[in-house]
């Protein structure tokens, strides 16, 4: 019904930058909140950043000042610009969106995830 596809992950050196993208498609009437989560091996999934349909944002304390979330509502896309990356940022990054479907159901949809590895 609703698909989220992430891209932009990869291997980067400490201090480097990456930009993640996530495109939503399918039976979408409206997208409310969009966000990025991450899960490192052996750890719980955690919120990285979230953005409302109106553009209000919130961030995990660990990424404030380094990461920036943005969205393009016309393209059903959310971005995560990640600067000053640290080895502890290594994780699978997953996109999430709260969607009102064309069938008038509100669902929380997840992408498959994209690997981000920060290492020298």
């Amino acid at each position: 019904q609703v698909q989220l596809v992430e891209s932009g992950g990869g291997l980067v050196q400490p201090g480097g930058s990456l930009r993640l993208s996530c495109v939503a498609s399918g039976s979408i009437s409206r997208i409310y909140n969009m966000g990025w989560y991450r899960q490192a091996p052996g750890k719980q999934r955690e919120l990285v950043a979230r953005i409302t349909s109106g553009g209000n944002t919130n961030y995990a304390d660990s990424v404030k000042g380094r990461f920036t979330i943005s969205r393009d509502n016309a393209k059903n896309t959310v971005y995560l610009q990640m600067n000053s990356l640290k080895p502890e940022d290594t994780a699978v990054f997953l996109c999430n969106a709260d969607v009102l479907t064309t069938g008038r159901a509100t669902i929380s949809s997840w992408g498959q995830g994209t690997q981000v590895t920060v290492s020298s």
Side-chain angles (χ1 to χ4, degrees):
Q1 295 208 1
V2 175
Q3 298 81 39
L4 300 181
V5 178
E6 302 101 334
S7 61
L11 173 64
V12 64
Q13 291 187 342
S17 298
L18 283 175
R19 188 191 194 211
L20 305 183
S21 300
C22 171
V23 181
S25 63
S27 305
I28 297 170
S29 178
R30 181 178 177 181
I31 303 177
Y32 300 111
N33 297 336
M34 302 186 82
W36 289 95
Y37 290 73
R38 66 185 178 187
Q39 188 161 19
K43 294 188 177 181
Q44 288 189 332
R45 186 175 296 184
E46 63 173 357
L47 173 69
V48 176
R50 199 161 175 83
I51 185 168
T52 69
S53 57
N56 294 318
T57 59
N58 65 286
Y59 296 90
D61 287 344
S62 59
V63 307
K64 283 180 181 177
R66 300 188 298 123
F67 291 9
T68 302
I69 189 171
S70 61
R71 64 189 284 175
D72 184 332
N73 292 330
K75 296 181 179 180
N76 289 343
T77 301
V78 63
Y79 306 96
L80 186 68
Q81 177 66 44
M82 304 186 293
N83 299 328
S84 302
L85 282 159
K86 305 174 181 179
E88 51 264 41
D89 293 317
T90 296
V92 175
F93 281 69
L94 302 106
C95 177
N96 172 260
D98 297 325
V99 176
L100 176 65
T101 69
T102 54
R104 312 310 290 176
T106 299
I107 63 172
S108 183
S109 186
W110 290 89
Q112 298 272 14
T114 185
Q115 177 70 45
V116 171
T117 302
V118 185
S119 175
S120 55

